[in-house]
Amino acid sequence: PSSRAGQASHPPHARDSAAQPPAKMVLISKKERRQILEHLFQEGVICVKKDPRACRHNELEAIPNLHVMMVLRSLCSRAFVTEKFNWQWYYYMLTNEGIDY
């Protein structure tokens, strides 16, 4: 007899999903948001690697990659930038509505 005989058996996927912590909300400071927007307006385009765990963005070294991804995703949902995705990189281009914003 094994020691696990008295325990209820659960499917492996049910145990794994219960052990994962809930997703955390990303808070981006106004200073970081301003730096991202200034860079976007100066260049007209920005590239973001699809790696939310990257410590720093490849062009904006002082800002985490996740923050850049979230700001640009927000701008894209409001049609201020257009998004192209290719080979694990997002390419965001400023639109006329984004320039007016």
Side-chain angles (χ1 to χ4, degrees):
S2 79
S3 61
R4 298 181 71 199
Q7 295 178 353
S9 66
H10 298 287
H13 57 83
R15 256 185 286 129
D16 293 340
S17 64
Q20 294 176 352
K24 293 183 181 179
M25 192 165 103
V26 177
L27 298 175
I28 303 168
S29 69
K30 287 183 181 181
K31 177 184 167 190
E32 286 182 349
R33 183 181 302 274
R34 185 176 180 93
Q35 287 177 344
I36 294 166
L37 293 176
E38 284 177 356
H39 181 77
L40 178 62
F41 287 121
Q42 287 173 359
E43 301 294 326
V45 66
I46 192 168
C47 303
V48 182
K49 185 172 181 156
K50 185 184 174 184
D51 184 9
R53 292 189 175 110
C55 295
R56 301 288 168 229
H57 184 259
N58 59 324
E59 296 172 11
L60 303 166
E61 287 83 19
I63 302 173
N65 199 46
L66 179 62
H67 292 189
V68 178
M69 287 175 67
M70 294 298 108
V71 168
L72 289 165
R73 182 183 291 177
S74 173
L75 292 174
C76 188
S77 71
R78 293 183 277 169
F80 294 149
V81 296
T82 57
E83 175 187 83
K84 299 289 180 193
F85 183 73
N86 190 18
W87 288 84
Q88 299 298 312
W89 284 84
Y90 291 102
Y91 298 93
Y92 293 97
M93 283 83 49
L94 201 57
T95 63
N96 290 335
E97 292 83 11
I99 293 171
D100 293 339
Y101 171 72

